[in-house]
Amino acid sequence: MRNEIFTINEYGKITIDIKTYMDEKCINRNALARAINARFEVIDKWYNGHVEKIDADVLARICFVLECTPGDIIRYTT
């Protein structure tokens, strides 16, 4: 067995931006939370881009209310 050091290469970053669509619809975090039947804390994490795991059901409900697609609010950058 060889002694090798493996490094993690820069693999990119996922960013979430629902603020833009919320502003367009004039909807605040409380209203969005009520509309999709989620806790304020969940929407606050999405709003601030601090989502650790993406729940597909929450994403679908957000997209339905904001009339957008997942590709509109989730971006991959290198």
Side-chain angles (χ1 to χ4, degrees), residues 16 20 55-56 58 70:
I16 296 172
T20 305
D55 183 330
V58 170

Side-chain angles (χ1 to χ4, degrees), residues 9-11 20 23-24 29-31 33 35 37-38 41-42 51 53-54 58 60-61 70:
N9 293 329
E10 184 62 37
Y11 52 86
T20 305
D23 290 345
E24 287 177 6
R29 287 174 281 178
N30 281 321
N37 194 26
E41 294 81 11
V42 172
V51 178
K53 294 181 181 179
I54 296 177
V58 170
R61 289 185 275 161

Side-chain angles (χ1 to χ4, degrees), residues 7-72:
T7 59
I8 298 175
N9 293 329
E10 184 62 37
Y11 52 86
K13 181 179 179 183
I14 299 290
T15 55
I16 296 172
D17 178 26
I18 65 171
K19 292 178 189 179
T20 305
Y21 289 91
M22 289 176 67
D23 290 345
E24 287 177 6
K25 299 289 181 186
C26 298
I27 188 168
N28 63 31
R29 287 174 281 178
N30 281 321
L32 182 58
R34 283 191 304 272
I36 71 164
N37 194 26
R39 294 185 358 249
F40 175 84
E41 294 81 11
V42 172
I43 297 307
D44 191 51
K45 285 184 178 183
W46 280 83
Y47 185 83
N48 291 311
H50 296 136
V51 178
E52 295 173 7
K53 294 181 181 179
I54 296 177
D55 183 330
D57 186 54
V58 170
L59 176 60
R61 289 185 275 161
I62 288 171
C63 289
F64 177 78
V65 170
L66 297 180
E67 296 177 340
C68 63
T69 66
D72 294 333

